[in-house]
């Protein structure tokens, strides 16, 4: 499956992807907004922005939805990568601590 975003999302609409990413970071810092509403808030913002930019067309709504999807996927990829790196680092540190404890036990004997 060839997933070329340029064939689906207009090039000038790609600017919304980092904007939506920043909005998602800010929404996560807001404790009284439930987590499940973040994607809906982002999509509403993107659709309104596309309607204002492209005019009152169905393509504007579609572009807003597609850009929101790209932003959410990007956020998930970044988040998964950071979590994976942190888990790998923690695993190495815990392995090192176990080895140090074993060495201490062996040296005490």
């Amino acid at each position: 499956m060839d997933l070329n975003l340029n064939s689906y999302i207009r090039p000038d609409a790609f600017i919304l992807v980092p904007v939506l990413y920043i909005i998602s970071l800010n929404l996560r810092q807001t404790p009284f907004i439930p987590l499940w509403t973040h994607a809906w808030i982002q999509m509403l913002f993107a659709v309104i922005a596309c309607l204002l930019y492209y005019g009152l067309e169905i393509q504007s709504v579609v572009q807003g939805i597609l850009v929101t999807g790209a932003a959410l996927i990007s956020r998930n990829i970044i988040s998964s990568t950071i979590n994976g790196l942190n888990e790998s680092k923690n695993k190495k540190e815990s392995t090192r601590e176990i080895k140090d404890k074993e060495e201490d036990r062996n040296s005490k004997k």
Side-chain angles (χ1 to χ4, degrees), residues 33-82:
I33 298 177
L35 193 60
W36 66 269
T37 62
H38 294 185
W40 292 104
I41 293 169
Q42 288 176 305
M43 186 165 36
L44 181 65
F45 177 83
V47 168
I48 290 171
C50 286
L51 283 169
L52 290 173
Y53 189 75
Y54 297 117
L56 193 58
E57 302 176 357
I58 190 66
Q59 281 295 329
S60 301
V61 176
V62 171
Q63 289 298 307
I65 293 170
L66 289 174
V67 168
T68 304
L72 291 175
I73 289 171
S74 300
R75 168 110 174 85
N76 288 342
I77 289 171
I78 292 169
S79 176
S80 296
T81 302
I82 291 171

